Every structure is written in C-alpha cells, then in structure tokens.
Amino acid sequence: MFDPHEAAIRQTRRTFLGQGMAGLGTAALASLMNASTAHANEAPGLFPNFAPKAKRVIVLCQAGGPSHLETFDEKPELKRLNDQPMPESFTKGQPIAQLQGRALKCYAPRFDFNHYGESGQSIVSLFPKMGEIADDLCIINSMVTEQINHDPAHTFMNTGTSISGRPSMGSWVQYGLGSEADDLPGFVVLTSVGKGGQAQPIAARQWHSGFLPSRYQGVEFRSTGDPVLYVQNPPGITTGRQRDVVDAVNQMNALRQPMLDDPEIATRIAQYELAFKMQTSVPSLMDVSGEPQHILDMYGTKGADGTFAANCLLARRLAERGVRFVQLYHRGWDHHGGIERGMQICASEVDQASAALVTDLKNRGMLDETLVVWGGEFGRTPMAQGSGRDHHIKGFSIWMAGGGIKGGIKYGKTDELGYNAVEDIVHVHDFHATLLHLLGINHEKLTVRHQGRDFRLTDVHGRVVKEILA
C-alpha cells in the first residue's frame, strides 16, 4: 500500500544525498578553480628547499648533436693531425655509432676560433653574436652522456634515463614548483626545422609527464596555423556559450572527484579551465605586432613564423607571462656528411637569435632569474665520416647563462683531440642536479613513489656543479 509519509521520507533522503553530493562537488570544483586561479599548476608544496637563484628555465635544444669541435672546443692539435690515423689509444674499446670497423682518421676543425669579450672566451667564428655575449656565458666543454643514438640520447638528456616513459625534466620542474602562469601551461615546447643537416624526428614523449599526473606534461605549440588545436571557438559559438560548456563539464567532473579522488579528474577539471583561458591568452601571445621593430631586428624575425628566431622571441614572451619551463627544439644538426656547409647554415639560423634572447632578457632585468641552456644531445667525433662526423658521447659542449650561473668562464676540458672529457667532467645527471639546485630544489628530495620505488630525475646519481654557480 502506498504510504505518502514514507514516500516523503524517501524523497527527502534522495534529495538530501543528491544535494549533498552536488554540494560536495561544487565545493571541490570551487576549490580546484580557486587553486587554478591563484596558482595555475599547484606544486606538491615541498619545494623549493632553499632560496632559488632562478625562477624559470629556457632550454635551446640543438637537436641532432652539434659538433663541439666546430662550436666551443678549440683543438689546434686535431688541426695539426688532420687526415692522419686517429691514435688507437683514444678509440680502442670505445663506443662508436657508425664508424665501427672503419679506418679512423683525424678530421681537423672546419673553422677558426676567435676570442670574445673581456673573458676572452674561445668561440668559433661562425658565432659572432654569441661572441658578443661571451661574458654572460658559462661554456661547459666536458659534458658526457650514455646514449649514442639520437632518440635514446634525447630521452636520457630529458629524463635522466634511456627508458621511455619517465617524466621529463620540464615535468619534474613544474611538479616541484608549479607555474606562475594563470592562463598558459607551465611547460611549453616549441619546435623548428633547420636546413643545415638531417632533421631527426623528435617524439612527444620527450616532454611527457611519465608517471607524474598528466597536468605536468609539456604542451607543444605548433609553428603553423593555430599554435594549439581548437584554440579558436567554432563558428556560432560565443565566449559566453563556451564558458557555460566548460562550467557544466567541470561540475560533472567535480561530482565524481570526491568519490574517486583520482588525480586525473582533478587534472581534467584544471585543464578544461586552462584551455578556456588559453583561447584568449594564446592568440595574444602569438601576436607580436606590438613588439618594437628593433626587437624584431635583434632576433632576426618578422613574427611568429615557426623559425628558431621567432621561437626565441616567443620564449621570452612566455617567460614574461610566468611559464616555468620553455623548451625549444631546432632540428637539423645531424652532420654525418657536409659538416662544413651544414654548420654555416645552422649557425646562420641560431647564432643571432640565441644571443638576442640572452641580451633581451638581460635588458629587461629578467636574466638573473632565468636560466638559459644551449646544447644538443651529444657531440661529434674527432674522426672523419667522409665530409662529416659521427655521434660522440665521451665529451661535448653546452653553455648556460643567467639564473645564478657564473658568466665569462669555461668549465671542464676534453683531451687534445676532443675525444674524452678529462677534467671537471659533467655528466647529464650532474647537469640535472645543478639545474634543480638553481631553482631551489635539492635533487635528492624531489622524489615520487612509483611501483614500489622512489624515483627522481637524477636517479641515484648527480652532483651540483658548484664551481659554475655565481
């Protein structure tokens, strides 16, 4: 028999539970939205460990492996031994990529070096603009890595391991510190393709978050068309209607979140909100029409056209907007043959803009808080591979500037032929430890429990290279 009193009680229970869950969901949504507004990508709250020197990082990755022997590591003895057999004492039992089993001959540096700045930094003559900022650069000539082919070497440089699927350094940084940007991702990737050599592919896993929540992975901005797919509203959809959709989707996700406590649901809510904000911020970012002509001329670009020069300008604009980690890939440095012509082309594509970025940041008072890194995944052999050089992991060069780095110095050495790093060796793990240190993070404490083990960017290795710190 129907009991109106019992039906009312049941209705009251359903209403109470439904409204209660909706209330919890709304509260969760409000909490997430407020956190998003106050701090676009909230960090775990454990970092920094101490006062940071740098607030942000810009990595200018010269993908393909630029030759240290034609950039920053001058070797007169290699020039003297040109076309003579490479001494076996250097190469016996050593890892070689494509020259294995071939007659190995010394191959002289293709270009002269000049001395620049008050510090007298030795830099190849192809890089006159970088020479102008020599006193801001710390050139490391003793880098070593563990992977001799491109993709695993990029993976190792980005993640500290050759095992695919681990978090990239940009993701670790964003996870540890969060982002200062409210309307842009905290980790942005820009790519360009040069004409000076083979352009090896770059996989998106190089900026992936691995086992960290997906909100920390890098976001690639495309060089042509819309920088982010679907950043524009479809025809007939106004900003107000889009706002309604985002709010409705986020409310439904927030209803589920208290029951599951799934970080990916929290990510989805935050990313929907971020995507909505990016519909305004990204077009504004890419519109460089307000940049003075002398700035465009300094970088050597006419606008956001996908070139390395344009991407360097965008990197500065991203840094101004609070993006924590910006990574530029310029593909085209793989010079197994034709290295002389290839280096000339590559230098013309990157020298001016690389120097302009450092100069522009310095002029704006941002360089002291921005760490800029320039380099590739490995170097090239002192031995000839026809008219080029093979991959080389035993000693190569990068430079760092700003963000707590001592300028106008060279650190570390390779031997007289540029084969082995022999003094003040800097492993990739040391590079990562130093980068995190400059951001105020103890690399041994930035860990995440995964599959029963505490993982970190530097694995179980890494030392802070204190000698290069300002």
Side-chain angles (χ1 to χ4, degrees):
M1 180 181 294
F2 176 74
D3 186 340
H5 180 67
E6 178 66 21
I9 292 174
R10 290 182 178 178
Q11 176 63 35
T12 301
R13 287 173 183 159
R14 284 196 298 270
T15 302
F16 171 77
L17 291 173
Q19 290 178 346
M21 288 305 300
L24 288 172
T26 302
L29 174 62
S31 173
L32 287 162
M33 301 289 269
N34 288 337
S36 173
T37 301
H39 203 257
N41 290 291
E42 204 60 53
L46 301 177
F47 304 96
N49 301 121
F50 45 84
K53 295 291 185 69
K55 290 184 176 180
R56 64 194 73 88
V57 180
I58 300 174
V59 180
L60 308 179
C61 179
Q62 312 306 310
S67 168
H68 54 299
L69 303 166
E70 275 83 25
T71 52
F72 304 107
D73 199 0
E74 185 176 13
K75 293 299 172 190
E77 182 65 8
L78 184 62
K79 182 176 182 179
R80 188 183 71 81
L81 294 178
N82 184 50
D83 208 33
Q84 295 185 35
M86 186 77 180
E88 193 178 79
S89 60
F90 287 83
T91 60
K92 188 175 181 179
Q94 297 298 314
I96 298 174
Q98 298 181 15
L99 287 173
Q100 200 71 46
R102 301 188 190 181
L104 304 179
K105 291 188 175 182
C106 295
Y107 196 50
R110 301 293 94 188
F111 305 96
D112 293 331
F113 280 65
N114 294 328
H115 294 275
Y116 294 94
E118 294 182 7
S119 55
Q121 294 265 47
S122 177
I123 298 174
V124 75
S125 58
L126 293 174
F127 289 163
K129 293 296 184 181
M130 289 192 214
E132 292 178 7
I133 61 168
D135 292 333
D136 294 308
L137 304 183
C138 169
I139 298 172
I140 301 176
N141 279 333
S142 54
M143 286 294 302
V144 298
T145 186
E146 297 182 8
Q147 296 297 320
I148 203 166
N149 289 310
H150 295 286
D151 188 79
H154 278 296
T155 302
F156 195 81
M157 182 63 78
N158 279 303
T159 70
T161 176
S162 59
I163 301 172
S164 296
R166 300 282 174 82
S168 62
M169 55 180 168
S171 295
W172 277 112
V173 168
Q174 193 183 357
Y175 173 75
L177 296 177
S179 175
E180 296 180 326
D182 177 50
D183 54 2
L184 287 167
F187 176 15
V188 173
V189 176
L190 299 163
T191 64
S192 54
V193 180
K195 300 178 181 179
Q198 186 175 355
Q200 293 289 338
I202 297 294
R205 68 175 178 276
Q206 301 299 346
W207 48 87
H208 201 271
S209 57
F211 48 71
L212 296 177
S214 58
R215 68 189 299 185
Y216 299 114
Q217 73 182 34
V219 176
E220 182 181 5
F221 282 11
R222 302 189 310 161
S223 59
T224 58
D226 286 341
V228 180
L229 293 176
Y230 312 116
V231 73
Q232 302 290 344
N233 282 330
I237 301 299
T238 65
T239 300
R241 290 185 65 185
Q242 183 74 347
R243 174 78 269 176
D244 291 341
V245 171
V246 171
D247 287 346
V249 172
N250 280 346
Q251 286 167 4
M252 288 188 287
N253 283 326
L255 287 172
R256 193 71 171 165
Q257 173 65 357
M259 292 184 286
L260 299 181
D261 193 24
D262 183 351
E264 289 306 307
I265 295 179
T267 290
R268 191 174 300 124
I269 294 171
Q271 296 305 83
Y272 263 105
E273 183 65 22
L274 176 60
F276 178 75
K277 293 178 179 179
M278 285 170 60
Q279 291 187 310
T280 300
S281 64
V282 170
S284 172
L285 168 76
M286 305 300 288
D287 181 10
V288 300
S289 60
E291 294 284 349
Q293 187 61 45
H294 75 273
I295 294 294
L296 298 176
D297 292 343
M298 182 170 69
Y299 282 90
T301 183
K302 296 180 180 179
D305 58 6
T307 62
F308 179 78
N311 287 350
C312 282
L313 176 57
L314 290 175
R316 188 219 80 206
R317 292 169 64 86
L318 286 163
E320 285 179 313
R321 287 158 172 78
V323 175
R324 182 74 68 183
F325 202 98
V326 183
Q327 195 161 16
L328 274 57
Y329 287 89
H330 186 64
R331 297 160 53 203
W333 290 88
D334 193 18
H335 295 138
H336 291 280
I339 192 170
E340 189 165 343
R341 180 174 181 275
M343 283 295 304
Q344 290 174 318
I345 295 173
C346 286
S348 70
E349 293 169 338
V350 308
D351 176 47
Q352 179 175 345
S354 300
L357 176 60
V358 173
T359 301
D360 200 8
L361 290 170
K362 189 174 183 179
N363 290 343
R364 293 168 188 268
M366 296 175 62
L367 184 60
D368 287 345
E369 295 182 338
T370 306
L371 176 64
V372 183
V373 181
W374 191 104
E377 68 272 32
F378 44 55
R380 313 301 293 199
T381 57
M383 304 88 76
Q385 186 178 18
S387 59
R389 301 186 187 277
D390 201 359
H391 308 167
H392 190 63
I393 66 174
K394 304 291 287 185
F396 62 102
S397 302
I398 68 170
W399 60 251
M400 304 172 76
I405 288 292
K406 190 182 300 182
I409 66 169
K410 282 202 173 182
Y411 184 79
K413 292 182 180 179
T414 54
D415 56 49
E416 63 270 27
L417 299 184
Y419 193 94
N420 285 297
V422 295
E423 182 179 311
D424 296 325
I425 297 171
V426 180
H427 191 279
V428 169
H429 293 311
D430 304 328
F431 164 70
H432 287 153
T434 305
L435 182 149
L436 292 177
H437 177 85
L438 290 165
L439 291 165
I441 298 174
N442 181 336
H443 71 101
E444 295 179 347
K445 293 184 178 181
L446 181 59
T447 63
V448 169
R449 193 78 172 173
H450 176 65
Q451 295 182 342
R453 178 192 158 188
D454 289 334
F455 284 87
R456 69 187 205 216
L457 175 60
T458 52
D459 194 37
V460 296
H461 311 282
R463 71 176 181 92
V464 176
V465 187
K466 295 183 179 178
E467 297 85 352
I468 69 175
L469 305 182

